[in-house]
Amino acid sequence: MEMTREARTTAEVLTSATAVKSKEHRPAKTKSTTVDGVKRQAERIKYDEEMAAREKEVRNIQITNMVSDWASTIDERSQAKTARRHEATKKEEMRLANRELIQVRRAQLTDLYRAEQDQYRREYQDRGLTFYQERL
C-alpha cells in the first residue's frame, strides 16, 4: 500500500510534532540530577548489601537451629539406646541370678537330703536296723 505524498508529509509533520513535544516535556540533564542518580544508586547498593548480610545471618541461624535439633535428637536417641541396653543387661543379670539361685538351691537340697539320710541311717543303726540297698 503506497502512501500519497500528502499523507506522507502529514505523517512526517505529526511525527516531528510529537518529537518536539516530548523534547519539551523532558527536563534537560543537569549536574544535580546526575548526582542525585549516583546517590540513589549508592543508597540502593548499600541497601542491597544490608539485605544480603541479613539474609546470610538468617541462613546461619537456620543452620545453627538445624544442627541444634540434630544434636538434641541424637542425644535423645542415644539416651533411649542406653536405656534399652541397660534394661537388657538387667534382664540378663536377673536370668543369670535366677539360674544361679536354682543351682544353689539344688546344691543345698542335695546336702540336706544327704544329711537327713545320714541322720536316718545313724538312728536306724542305733536301733539295730538298716536300709535295704540293692547292689548291682
Side-chain angles (χ1 to χ4, degrees):
M1 200 164 120
E2 281 187 42
M3 284 188 161
T4 62
R5 185 175 179 171
E6 188 177 314
R8 227 180 292 148
T9 51
T10 308
E12 289 172 3
V13 169
L14 286 175
T15 311
S16 63
T18 54
V20 170
K21 277 187 177 179
S22 64
K23 285 182 183 177
E24 288 174 5
H25 292 295
R26 259 191 238 159
K29 286 190 177 181
T30 61
K31 193 173 188 178
S32 66
T33 57
T34 311
V35 172
D36 289 341
V38 170
K39 283 183 183 177
R40 282 196 312 261
Q41 186 178 14
E43 288 173 0
R44 179 59 190 240
I45 290 171
K46 184 178 177 183
Y47 175 77
D48 288 345
E49 289 173 350
E50 287 175 0
M51 292 305 291
R54 288 178 184 170
E55 287 174 357
K56 184 178 179 181
E57 185 178 346
V58 167
R59 269 184 269 136
N60 287 339
I61 289 171
Q62 288 173 339
I63 290 170
T64 302
N65 287 340
M66 287 185 345
V67 169
S68 175
D69 290 343
W70 172 79
S72 66
T73 55
I74 288 293
D75 188 39
E76 290 171 4
R77 289 179 189 165
S78 175
Q79 288 176 356
K81 283 182 182 179
T82 302
R84 284 194 300 266
R85 201 174 322 118
H86 285 305
E87 189 66 29
T89 304
K90 279 186 202 176
K91 284 182 180 179
E92 182 66 15
E93 286 178 2
M94 288 299 292
R95 187 182 69 78
L96 293 174
N98 286 337
R99 191 175 189 186
E100 183 179 350
L101 185 61
I102 290 171
Q103 289 175 346
V104 168
R105 284 181 183 166
R106 281 182 184 162
Q108 287 175 344
L109 281 174
T110 303
D111 291 343
L112 178 65
Y113 289 147
R114 284 188 186 147
E116 284 180 356
Q117 189 176 17
D118 288 343
Q119 181 182 356
Y120 288 139
R121 187 174 288 136
R122 273 183 267 133
E123 286 178 5
Y124 276 19
Q125 282 176 356
D126 289 345
R127 291 185 192 169
L129 303 172
T130 61
F131 283 106
Y132 175 75
Q133 290 182 344
E134 186 177 331
R135 297 186 188 202
L136 299 176

